[in-house]
Amino acid sequence: MDDWDSVARAAQERGDWDEAIAVVGSVAECLSPDPYLHNAHLWHMDLLAKAGRLDELARRGESDQCARRRLDRLLYEQGRGSDLRHRAERGDKTAFYMIVRLLRDRGDERAARQAVADIDQTDTYATQLAHEPRTHVGRNGSS
């Protein structure tokens, strides 16, 4: 384990998001061929989410697919359907799938199907999500 890794983990454990984000961000590299640096990037995006830095994730997400996906997942976890729908309507496919899943999780199959019809009825994956049988697994993985 590198020194930066130890420093970042210690900062994360004590809830010092600014330090953890700065330390991990200094070595993180999106889609790096070095999996260690790419994993640091994913960790960096997780830290931004845990710190509640949605604006920064959104800004980064304009050119960084990892940030965009992490933001979409955070919005889904927080149940922020209107934000997901807005992002989906602007072409964010991950947000599109997340809004359909969120509506299904809420038991609103009709709204999930309507979202597909409104946003992109040609998307076969979204259509499949909207029509699949409802499971009893919640957003956090609990039954």
Side-chain angles (χ1 to χ4, degrees), residues 99-111:
I99 186 59
V100 172
R101 285 178 185 226
L102 181 63
L103 293 167
R104 297 280 302 166
D105 288 350
R106 291 177 176 168
D108 198 344
E109 290 84 5
R110 185 196 58 74

Side-chain angles (χ1 to χ4, degrees), residues 112-130:
R113 291 181 185 124
Q114 188 61 51
V116 172
D118 293 346
I119 298 169
D120 184 0
Q121 60 191 352
T122 66
D123 189 304
T124 55
Y125 182 65
T127 301
Q128 177 186 350
L129 284 174

Side-chain angles (χ1 to χ4, degrees), residues 20-61:
I21 288 166
V23 171
V24 175
S26 71
V27 297
E29 192 176 311
C30 183
L31 302 176
S32 172
D34 180 337
Y36 192 63
L37 298 180
H38 179 66
N39 284 338
H41 180 68
L42 297 176
W43 184 14
H44 186 220
M45 297 306 101
D46 280 340
L47 289 169
L48 291 172
K50 289 176 183 177
R53 295 188 183 179
L54 277 68
D55 289 342
E56 186 171 350
L57 277 172
R59 189 173 53 255
R60 289 174 178 272

Side-chain angles (χ1 to χ4, degrees), residues 58 68 71-72 75 83-92 95:
R68 179 181 45 78
L71 174 60
D72 291 338
L75 295 172
D83 291 328
L84 283 170
R85 183 169 181 118
H86 177 73
R87 294 177 62 76
E89 289 170 344
R90 292 178 41 220
D92 183 335

Side-chain angles (χ1 to χ4, degrees), residues 60-75:
R60 289 174 178 272
E62 293 173 10
S63 61
D64 179 336
Q65 69 181 353
C66 299
R68 179 181 45 78
R69 289 177 180 160
R70 185 60 184 97
L71 174 60
D72 291 338
R73 193 171 84 226
L74 179 64
L75 295 172

